[in-house]
């Protein structure tokens, strides 16, 4: 990925509702979820969900397809893997850090980012 694409992806994820929607889509897998269901689960109006989902799509993190009268959003896993690869490219000075990273996190519970509250 190019630097400009990395910045766009990180900027898109640097917002609570978009981050929650993106994580939801990652959990949903390749089949994705309808926009209305995403809005309902996040407790936000459909127009607001549409805005945030379009920001994620513009950054290349998600894609959409039409299925009848529904718009289904799914994660662009190739782009996600590119972003993760970029972020970890020089991890541990270029050495394999799997044991270091694994032992550093063993037994620790990772912080869960809360999803926005329903209004």
């Amino acid at each position: 990925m190019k630097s400009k694409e990395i910045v766009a992806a990180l900027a898109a994820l640097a917002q609570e509702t978009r981050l929650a929607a993106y994580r939801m889509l990652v959990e949903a897998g390749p089949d994705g979820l309808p926009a209305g269901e995403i809005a309902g689960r996040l407790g936000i109006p459909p127009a607001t969900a549409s805005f945030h989902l379009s920001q994620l799509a513009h950054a290349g993190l998600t894609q959409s397809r039409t299925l009848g009268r529904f718009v289904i959003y799914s994660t662009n896993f190739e782009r996600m893997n590119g972003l993760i690869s970029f972020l970890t490219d020089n991890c541990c000075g270029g050495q394999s850090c799997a044991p270091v990273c694994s032992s550093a996190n063993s037994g620790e519970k990772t912080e869960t980012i809360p999803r926005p509250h329903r209004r």
Side-chain angles (χ1 to χ4, degrees):
M1 288 176 70
K2 296 178 183 175
S3 181
K4 190 173 186 177
E5 295 169 322
I6 297 292
V7 170
L10 292 173
L13 293 172
Q15 198 281 337
E16 187 177 5
T17 301
R18 286 194 289 273
L19 182 59
Y22 187 73
R23 291 185 63 174
M24 184 184 305
L25 289 171
V26 169
E27 288 177 20
D31 292 338
L33 293 169
E37 185 173 337
I38 295 168
R41 287 187 188 184
L42 293 175
I44 59 176
T48 302
S50 179
F51 169 77
H52 289 301
L53 291 167
S54 70
Q55 295 296 309
L56 291 169
H58 181 72
L61 294 169
T62 61
Q63 60 235 346
S64 64
R65 68 185 186 285
T66 304
L67 185 63
R69 61 186 185 99
F70 299 100
V71 178
I72 309 296
Y73 283 87
S74 59
T75 301
N76 179 341
F77 287 102
E78 184 177 328
R79 180 63 66 117
M80 179 186 77
N81 288 334
L83 178 61
I84 291 169
S85 177
F86 174 83
L87 293 172
T88 60
D89 190 37
N90 295 318
C91 180
C92 300
Q95 302 297 316
S96 174
C97 65
V100 174
C101 294
S102 298
S103 63
N105 291 326
S106 64
E108 291 182 23
K109 184 174 174 138
T110 57
E111 179 184 354
T112 302
I113 298 173
R115 295 194 173 149
H117 298 290
R118 290 197 153 145
R119 297 176 195 233

